[in-house]
Amino acid sequence: MTDSDYILIAKLNASSKQAFGEIYDKYVTMVYSFALSVIHDESIAEDITQLVFVRLWEHRESISSEKNLPAWLYVTARNAVFKELRRMACMEQYVNYAARIQSIREEFELEQLDDAVILKELAGICSSFPQRMKNIYELRMVEGLSVAEIAENLDISPKTVETQLSRARKIISRKLKNI
C-alpha cells in the first residue's frame, strides 16, 4: 500500500467522494480481473466489482488507514465471488432437479401430480428396491451418470445396469399408477 493510500483512506473515512473515486480508479481493474478470472463471466464480474465498491463506500468510516486497502478489496471480492459460485451451484442443482422431475412426469405420465407427491412416492418406492437396484437407480436418476459410468463405478456389465434400470422403471410405473 502506498503513502497516497493512507491519505485516500483518511479522506474516505471523512466521506470524501473524490477519495472514493480515486480509490475506485486505482483498484477497479484489480477487483474486476480477479472476479473475471474465477467466474469467467464479464457481466457477473462487473456486478461483483460494483458490489465490492458499494461495500467500500458503506464501510468507509470503519476502514482503518492501518489496513491494507488492496487486501481488504481482495477479501471482499473473494467473498462475493464465493457467494456467487455457491448461488450458481444451487441454481444448477435446481435446474437438474426440475429436469429430473419433468423427466419422471413424462416417463410415468404424472402430469397431474404435485412435485412433492411425486418425490415422496418415488422415495418410498425406491426404498423398497433391492440394494443393487437402488444403487443403480440412484446413480442414474439422482447423480445423472450414464449406463457406462455406472457399470464402471460398480464393476458390473452395462447390460446388468440396463436390466436393473428397466426393472426399476417397471416397478415404479406399476406402483405410481395406483396413486
Side-chain angles (χ1 to χ4, degrees):
M1 197 161 88
T2 65
D3 289 340
S4 65
D5 282 348
Y6 292 110
I7 296 168
L8 287 173
I9 292 172
K11 289 180 180 179
L12 181 66
N13 292 153
S15 298
S16 167
K17 291 179 183 175
Q18 179 185 356
F20 176 81
E22 288 180 42
I23 292 170
Y24 179 88
D25 291 342
K26 186 172 183 178
Y27 293 109
V28 68
T29 303
M30 176 195 81
V31 172
Y32 173 78
S33 296
F34 167 72
L36 185 61
S37 74
V38 178
I39 297 289
H40 306 292
D41 182 302
E42 291 177 2
S43 176
I44 294 173
E46 288 171 3
D47 290 346
I48 288 171
T49 302
Q50 181 178 7
L51 176 70
V52 168
F53 285 97
V54 165
R55 289 204 177 125
L56 174 67
W57 182 255
E58 290 172 346
H59 293 92
R60 67 190 175 276
E61 294 171 355
S62 64
I63 295 176
S64 168
S65 59
E66 328 250 294
K67 297 266 183 178
N68 183 337
L69 183 60
W72 187 94
L73 293 168
Y74 169 78
V75 168
T76 304
R78 182 197 64 196
N79 292 342
V81 164
F82 287 163
K83 185 175 182 179
E84 179 61 23
L85 290 172
R86 283 190 301 274
R87 187 199 65 77
M88 291 166 74
C90 287
M91 181 60 78
E92 184 177 342
Q93 287 175 346
Y94 175 76
V95 168
N96 290 339
Y97 160 82
R100 283 194 306 270
I101 291 292
Q102 186 57 36
S103 171
I104 291 167
R105 284 181 183 287
E106 292 169 1
E107 183 174 352
F108 299 109
E109 300 172 6
L110 302 171
E111 295 300 322
Q112 75 283 1
L113 292 178
D114 183 56
D115 289 355
V117 171
I118 292 171
L119 289 175
K120 181 181 176 194
E121 292 296 324
L122 195 56
I125 294 167
C126 291
S127 70
S128 69
F129 286 168
Q131 191 60 46
R132 177 182 254 186
M133 182 185 290
K134 183 178 179 181
N135 290 345
I136 291 170
Y137 190 79
E138 287 176 353
L139 287 171
R140 179 73 177 126
M141 299 309 288
V142 176
E143 308 238 354
L145 298 181
S146 69
V147 169
E149 290 170 325
I150 295 168
E152 185 179 322
N153 283 352
L154 299 178
D155 197 26
I156 58 177
S157 76
K159 186 67 177 160
T160 300
V161 173
E162 290 171 357
T163 301
Q164 292 293 309
L165 288 172
S166 176
R167 288 180 182 161
R169 286 185 187 105
K170 286 178 186 174
I171 292 168
I172 292 168
S173 182
R174 186 177 65 242
K175 291 187 177 187
L176 285 179
K177 285 182 182 177
N178 297 329
I179 58 171

